[in-house]
Amino acid sequence: MKQGYDAVLKGGRVIDTVTGRDGLFDIAVSGGRIAAIEPSLDAAGAEVIDLEGKVVTAGMIDTHGHVYQHVTGSFGLNPDMVGVRSGVTTIIDQGGPSCMTLGGFKHYLDTSSKTKLYCFISAYLVGGLEGHMYPDLYGPHGVNAEHTIRIGKENLDIVRGVKAHAEIGGQSRWGMEVIKIGKQISKELGLPLYIHLGQLWPSLEEGPVPDPDELIRELVPIMEEGDMLAHPFTRHPGGFVSEEGEVHPIVFEAIARGVRVDVGHGSHFSFEVAKKVLDSGIKPFTLGADMHGFNVTVPPEGLEKDVRESNPFFGAAPFNLTVAMTELMTLGMSLNDVVATVTENPATVLGKSDELGSLQVGRIADISVLEIQEGRFKLFDNSGVEVVTDKLVRPVMCFKDGEKFDADSPLIPPPVLA
């Protein structure tokens, strides 16, 4: 008897950390929703997609994107290049839109993108303009809590958190005032505060360098359950690891009371720091790629090489979300735990666990398909470290609302054979 399926994804290894499903299953899609998940389904009359040897997960969610293209200057990437054409169905833009620019993000970018977009609204009026090349704009004078709270409350369908920065250069100039205002905004909105750690703004590098360890000691007590610390594996000062090379005890205290950790990979990532943090027992809750116009392998059109390399967020080591997944597996995390960081856990962060992060009958068909290639592959970080791994996670395709997209983005780095 014909079931009326539009497509049947056959024979893939389905991993769903919400339901505990891990095995070979067929998934039927009909009318943009998941119609059935069974060990074997009759695909008569439907498009059959053979996924033998592939891994099938809920649509992946990138918790740290910079995709406010054009408005954030050279920093913002095309959302579908980072999103559906990279096997990612949902992106959280971290701090690109502000209370002044959210309207454009919501009404132009989100409506024109196949990738579903959310944002953590910037605590700063200027948002993520040009990747913070103008630090004078990012002090307490550049924050309007009242306006940001009002705009956030009016747009809770797309605003799911608040983004603030805690660089040691900013701390030396303004103390913790901006972070405290950011926390006020997040409390009023009832949403998490997301804190960027570890970077010294270029114009603040001259003169006395502040104590990088003091930053996290001042910052962490401000944070509450559900708030997020980014860049735990940063190669820059002011992060999880002290100048003595040990993980700050206060980080464990924060995690114990419910503060969450987002990888926020970007050009910050260091294998050495990551190993130290993971070996200490800290596991990231979510995995954001933090791709932007100064650290991707294909620079945005028209961006001159010297301009790109002079940016403090510049990076040369090729990466994307699946490369970051590979790195976590290489450092000892299980495949299922890594899958949770890009499916179940970010859905929790968004407050969308009833819609996203799990493959269940009746839900919208947001599905990611991955291939785990075996061989010998090189991985790199921007500290100059090279690591060889025997497994490489690669995106194959995804389905967003049941529509199929091949993973053909030029931002997906080619494998580097060892």
Side-chain angles (χ1 to χ4, degrees):
M1 183 175 177
K2 185 178 177 182
Q3 301 297 318
Y5 302 141
D6 298 326
V8 176
L9 287 58
K10 293 196 70 72
R13 177 187 173 186
V14 174
I15 299 178
D16 186 340
T17 58
V18 174
T19 62
R21 185 179 279 118
D22 184 352
L24 300 181
F25 290 89
D26 294 352
I27 300 177
V29 176
S30 181
R33 293 188 175 271
I34 296 174
I37 305 175
E38 299 290 346
S40 181
L41 287 169
D42 181 0
E47 178 187 3
V48 176
I49 301 171
D50 183 4
L51 298 182
E52 183 180 357
K54 306 297 191 294
V55 172
V56 184
T57 73
M60 293 195 297
I61 303 168
D62 187 341
T63 50
H64 195 135
H66 294 286
V67 293
Y68 201 169
Q69 192 177 26
H70 306 304
V71 173
T72 53
S74 303
F75 212 59
L77 298 171
N78 179 278
D80 287 339
M81 291 296 183
V82 180
V84 290
R85 292 181 60 186
S86 290
V88 175
T89 59
T90 303
I91 297 173
I92 304 174
D93 187 292
Q94 281 295 343
S98 73
C99 60
M100 297 197 301
T101 64
L102 181 68
F105 184 85
K106 181 176 182 178
H107 295 290
Y108 298 109
L109 202 67
D110 183 45
T111 56
S112 65
S113 303
K114 295 293 187 178
T115 310
K116 176 57 186 172
L117 303 181
Y118 294 97
C119 75
F120 276 36
I121 193 169
S122 177
Y124 308 96
L125 293 170
V126 293
L129 294 180
E130 287 294 354
H132 304 275
M133 284 297 289
Y134 310 100
D136 286 339
L137 299 174
Y138 290 88
H141 53 274
V143 179
N144 186 316
E146 182 182 3
H147 190 198
T148 304
I149 292 165
R150 179 173 64 81
I151 294 298
K153 285 183 175 179
E154 292 172 356
N155 295 277
L156 289 173
D157 58 329
I158 197 166
V159 175
R160 304 307 303 155
V162 178
K163 171 73 178 291
H165 283 70
E167 290 94 343
I168 57 176
Q171 178 209 26
S172 69
R173 180 182 283 188
W174 302 299
M176 299 302 292
E177 186 177 350
V178 176
I179 300 300
K180 290 176 180 177
I181 298 171
K183 185 60 203 171
Q184 175 196 347
I185 295 169
S186 79
K187 272 189 169 182
E188 290 284 339
L189 292 176
L191 296 174
L193 177 66
Y194 185 104
I195 300 291
H196 164 117
L197 279 177
Q199 182 71 41
L200 185 62
W201 275 323
S203 64
L204 301 178
E205 288 178 349
E206 297 178 2
V209 177
D211 177 5
D213 291 343
E214 184 61 29
L215 170 64
I216 199 158
R217 287 193 291 266
E218 291 187 21
L219 169 68
V220 167
I222 297 171
M223 304 186 75
E224 299 177 311
E225 182 179 359
D227 290 340
M228 305 183 75
L229 278 170
H231 311 306
F233 308 147
T234 181
R235 60 194 172 98
H236 299 299
F240 278 31
V241 177
S242 71
E243 290 192 304
E244 287 73 37
E246 301 298 328
V247 178
H248 289 281
I250 199 168
V251 172
F252 297 100
E253 295 172 22
I255 293 170
R257 68 170 186 267
V259 173
R260 293 164 172 164
V261 176
D262 179 70
V263 170
H265 186 289
S267 57
H268 301 260
F269 179 85
S270 159
F271 276 108
E272 180 182 358
V273 175
K275 185 176 189 310
K276 188 161 292 187
V277 172
L278 289 169
D279 286 351
S280 77
I282 294 173
K283 281 187 179 180
F285 188 69
T286 52
L287 173 57
D290 190 13
M291 298 169 66
H292 53 70
F294 297 98
N295 67 17
V296 295
T297 54
V298 180
E301 185 178 350
L303 188 60
E304 296 178 5
K305 183 174 182 290
D306 59 339
V307 172
R308 184 169 181 259
E309 293 184 1
S310 67
N311 188 279
F313 299 98
F314 170 72
F319 76 99
N320 70 339
L321 188 63
T322 51
V323 169
M325 294 169 71
T326 301
E327 291 169 343
L328 292 185
M329 290 172 58
T330 302
L331 287 161
M333 285 183 65
S334 71
L335 172 60
N336 289 54
D337 282 348
V338 172
V339 166
T341 68
V342 294
T343 56
E344 176 184 1
N345 295 350
T348 299
V349 168
L350 285 168
K352 300 288 183 181
S353 295
D354 58 339
E355 302 174 26
L356 305 174
S358 180
L359 297 170
Q360 298 183 39
V361 174
R363 288 195 175 193
I364 288 176
D366 281 13
I367 303 167
S368 291
V369 179
L370 307 168
E371 180 179 17
I372 302 180
Q373 298 181 355
E374 297 191 356
R376 284 177 56 81
F377 307 97
K378 285 185 180 180
L379 303 171
F380 310 86
D381 70 18
N382 284 303
S383 302
V385 173
E386 292 186 11
V387 171
V388 175
T389 183
D390 61 356
K391 292 180 175 61
L392 183 66
V393 183
R394 302 275 293 168
V396 177
M397 68 181 74
C398 72
F399 293 78
K400 182 74 188 81
D401 299 331
E403 184 178 356
K404 178 176 174 288
F405 298 90
D406 291 326
D408 61 0
S409 170
L411 302 180
I412 301 170
V416 180
L417 301 179

